[in-house]
């Protein structure tokens, strides 16, 4: 299960200004960000690969001869790394080249491409890519680098000002998320992620399995994303809690809206709050969104009558 990780405020500021510069240089106004134009601007090359294709292996090994020193000594290193990390995409800073696994579904390719572009734009990532440091990179450091690239990718595909304006023009719900996905030409999953992660309100979302049709060899929840305010007030809420709530109201329908409910969640001070939670199935997975509605009035019993506090 993947949980969104918050990056250091200073890195967030730096990455934001780098990505905003890309939008400025592109002359971005609104709608879908064209990644072909971004690559042209940044002089990045894109290739699709099939790992088992001997042509690809030969080509990449050949290219690496002008790459990082360690890789020259061990030309098979890259292939080992790809296998070990089960990479679907990678960026080779020396060649300014992005490689994406050709077997990845088309819609997902856009996210991978944008993630790799973010790596290329963030200057301190060059040292951590598949060169000398990758093999010694600690899991923590790797996690930070990946979180930074995801953050940059989100910013690139959903330009801050225009996206925030569009998001605030209507109420946060799954219908709005689907509309925003179309408007910015991105997947519903990435739109949901971005809309919740940088939301000022307390909200959360998950992407996971359909409660009526569980595949036992898979995780119930793949992604659990929360807003900063939610994390602060409800740090004890886990993806499993969302799974339990979802089970109570989700209909058996395979695709489309699965239902909604009002639920009560206690914050870290024990105060009850009411959230609106809804789910939608796109046939591959179930998207769930929860947003804060109101504090729940505490009812104090006073003899025969009840008094709202
Ligand atoms: Zn990455």
């Amino acid at each position: 299960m993947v949980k969104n990780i918050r990056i250091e405020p200073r890195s967030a500021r730096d990455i934001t200004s780098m990505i905003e510069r890309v939008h400025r240089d592109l002359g971005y106004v609104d709608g879908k960000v064209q990644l072909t134009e971004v690559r042209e601007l940044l002089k990045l090359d894109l290739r699709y690969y099939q790992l088992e294709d001997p042509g690809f292996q030969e080509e990449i090994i050949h290219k690496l001869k002008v790459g990082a020193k360690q890789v020259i000594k061990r030309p098979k290193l890259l292939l080992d790394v790809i296998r070990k990390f089960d990479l679907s995409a990678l960026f080779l800073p020396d060649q300014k080249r992005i490689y994406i696994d050709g077997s990845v579904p088309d819609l997902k390719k856009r996210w991978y491409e944008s993630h790799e572009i973010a790596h290329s734009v963030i200057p301190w990532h060059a040292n951590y890519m598949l060169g000398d440091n990758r093999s010694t990179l600690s899991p923590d450091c790797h996690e930070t680098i990946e979180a930074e690239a995801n953050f940059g990718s989100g910013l690139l595909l959903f330009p801050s000002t225009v996206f925030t304006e569009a998001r605030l023009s209507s109420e946060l719900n799954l219908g709005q998320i689907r509309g925003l996905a179309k408007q910015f030409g991105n997947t519903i999953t990435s739109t949901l992620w971005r809309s919740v992660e940088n939301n000022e309100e307390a909200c959360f979302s998950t992407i996971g399995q359909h409660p009526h049709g569980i595949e036992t060899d898979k995780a119930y929840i793949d992604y659990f994303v929360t807003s900063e305010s939610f994390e602060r007030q409800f740090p004890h809420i886990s993806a499993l809690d969302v799974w339990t709530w979802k089970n109570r109201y989700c209909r058996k329908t395979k695709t489309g809206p699965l239902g909604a409910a009002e639920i009560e969640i206690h914050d870290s001070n024990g105060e009850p709050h009411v959230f609106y939670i809804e789910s939608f199935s796109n046939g591959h997975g179930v998207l769930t969104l929860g947003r804060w509605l109101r504090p729940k009035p505490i009812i104090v019993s006073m003899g025969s009558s009840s008094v709202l506090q």
Side-chain angles (χ1 to χ4, degrees):
M1 204 260 316
V2 179
K3 170 89 181 74
N4 62 316
I5 305 165
R6 262 168 230 293
I7 63 171
E8 295 253 340
R10 211 185 128 194
S11 310
R13 269 200 307 278
D14 287 352
I15 296 169
T16 304
S17 69
M18 286 164 210
I19 300 287
E20 279 176 352
R21 164 120 204 236
V22 172
H23 291 140
R24 260 200 318 280
D25 291 350
L26 277 179
Y28 175 83
V29 183
D30 54 26
K32 183 176 181 176
V33 173
Q34 299 298 340
L35 294 184
T36 327
E37 291 172 12
V38 176
R39 275 191 285 106
E40 239 163 64
L41 175 78
L42 300 172
K43 301 192 169 50
L44 294 168
D45 185 22
L46 171 72
R47 303 270 170 100
Y48 294 110
Y49 76 83
Q50 309 290 342
L51 191 57
E52 58 285 352
D53 171 9
F56 163 72
Q57 299 194 359
E58 208 163 287
E59 181 196 15
I60 206 152
I61 287 164
H62 172 74
K63 295 281 192 255
L64 282 169
K65 290 192 176 144
V66 290
K69 284 184 220 94
Q70 194 186 353
V71 180
I72 297 174
K73 274 186 246 150
R74 296 175 52 200
K76 288 244 181 260
L77 181 69
L78 178 68
L79 294 176
D80 293 345
V81 169
I82 295 174
R83 281 201 194 94
K84 192 168 150 205
F85 289 94
D86 193 19
L87 292 178
S88 298
L90 51 125
F91 171 60
L92 302 181
D94 294 332
Q95 286 114 38
K96 297 199 81 174
R97 175 165 300 158
I98 291 167
Y99 275 104
I100 295 179
D101 182 345
S103 63
V104 165
D106 279 348
L107 268 172
K108 275 197 180 167
K109 284 190 179 114
R110 181 169 161 82
W111 175 261
Y112 283 124
E113 186 179 340
S114 146
H115 174 101
E116 299 306 321
I117 290 174
H119 275 313
S120 84
V121 169
I122 305 170
W124 61 91
H125 282 205
N127 295 333
Y128 295 108
M129 300 323 289
L130 291 163
D132 297 283
N133 297 312
R134 182 59 183 257
S135 51
T136 52
L137 205 56
S138 73
D140 265 10
C141 182
H142 178 71
E143 210 173 52
T144 307
I145 295 290
E146 286 312 292
E148 287 175 352
N150 283 337
F151 175 76
S153 180
L155 279 174
L156 181 65
L157 297 179
F158 301 96
S160 289
T161 319
V162 181
F163 179 65
T164 308
E165 205 174 281
R167 188 168 60 73
L168 294 177
S169 68
S170 66
E171 189 187 72
L172 175 72
N173 57 50
L174 288 176
Q176 183 208 32
I177 300 288
R178 292 208 303 280
L180 289 171
K182 263 209 193 90
Q183 188 178 342
F184 291 87
N186 298 317
T187 58
I188 295 176
T189 307
S190 59
T191 309
L192 182 65
W193 183 304
R194 184 79 190 131
S195 301
V196 168
E197 190 178 45
N198 82 339
N199 208 293
E200 304 72 25
E201 309 289 326
C203 54
F204 60 86
S205 67
T206 60
I207 294 150
Q209 293 208 48
H210 198 306
H212 305 282
I214 299 172
E215 292 177 51
T216 45
D217 55 335
K218 284 188 189 160
Y220 289 158
I221 303 283
D222 291 322
Y223 299 103
F224 178 40
V225 182
T226 56
S227 69
E228 214 171 331
S229 153
F230 185 84
E231 226 163 78
R232 227 182 9 255
Q233 296 179 72
F234 308 91
H236 50 288
I237 299 301
S238 70
L240 201 61
D241 293 316
V242 183
W243 173 256
T244 312
W245 297 323
K246 211 169 100 172
N247 267 279
R248 286 190 211 140
Y249 64 82
C250 273
R251 281 190 290 268
K252 285 188 175 159
T253 333
K254 279 220 165 54
T255 55
L258 297 182
E262 280 191 12
I263 53 161
E264 187 183 313
I265 312 181
H266 288 251
D267 64 21
S268 49
N269 297 320
E271 308 280 351
H273 297 261
V274 180
F275 276 73
Y276 182 76
I277 182 171
E278 54 172 334
S279 293
F280 180 90
S281 168
N282 62 9
H284 306 290
V286 172
L287 309 161
T288 298
L289 173 68
R291 70 183 156 88
W292 184 87
L293 277 187
R294 56 181 181 270
K296 189 182 159 94
I298 299 166
I299 297 166
V300 180
S301 181
M302 300 249 301
S304 58
S305 64
S306 289
V307 177
L308 289 184
Q309 227 177 34

